Amino acid sequence: MSQTASAAPIDGVVTFADGLPGFERCRQFVLVSSPALQPFTVLQGVDADAPAFVTIDPRLVTDTFAPALDRVTLARLGAQGGETLLWLAIVTAGDDGVATANLRAPLVINPASMRGIQLISLDSPYRIDHPMQAA
């Protein structure tokens, strides 16, 4: 049974109503974090054979990250505009060991409704492969 947008959220499970590009069938995820993973978080699908993504707060990658959300997107998240939203960028590690963060298509989650969306903006000033600097 799939969860609809009007259904109560399952405790601890974030629902992406449209899934994520390339993984549209996987719509429910949990966030996994621990001190050993910091500053990263893992977005783990809950279904069998579901994908997992390493993510990071985009503001840790660049202090200029400041995307805006329109009313339609806020409504899809079940947000009014005053809530604190969780922003995540998917991290990719290249064969050369260089890690990049996708700042052009960040994930945004409303912790109050446990709804998430991946924002994809073709005119974003951010890159899909923003280099991450070693701390």
Side-chain angles (χ1 to χ4, degrees):
M1 173 188 251
S2 65
Q3 180 178 351
T4 63
S6 61
I10 299 170
D11 191 33
V13 175
V14 179
T15 298
F16 289 81
D18 299 323
L20 300 175
F23 303 94
E24 289 82 3
R25 290 184 179 208
C26 185
R27 297 178 182 203
Q28 295 185 320
F29 293 83
V30 292
L31 290 167
V32 180
S33 64
S34 79
L37 292 173
Q38 292 301 317
F40 303 101
T41 302
V42 175
L43 183 69
Q44 173 66 59
V46 298
D47 299 325
D49 298 324
F53 303 96
V54 175
T55 65
I56 191 167
D57 182 331
R59 294 166 295 196
L60 296 176
V61 178
T62 178
D63 57 4
T64 63
F65 185 81
L69 297 176
D70 58 31
R71 288 181 295 138
V72 172
T73 302
L74 286 170
R76 289 179 63 204
L77 290 167
Q80 302 298 316
E83 297 90 339
T84 299
L85 301 174
L86 175 63
W87 289 87
L88 298 170
I90 295 176
V91 175
T92 302
D95 292 336
D96 57 2
V98 175
T100 62
N102 183 347
L103 300 183
R104 181 169 292 174
L107 306 172
V108 60
I109 297 168
N110 180 354
S113 67
M114 295 304 281
R115 294 185 205 166
I117 296 173
Q118 184 170 21
L119 300 175
I120 300 173
S121 175
L122 299 177
D123 61 351
S124 170
Y126 304 106
R127 297 172 47 174
I128 61 171
D129 60 350
H130 188 91
M132 295 180 54
Q133 303 298 320

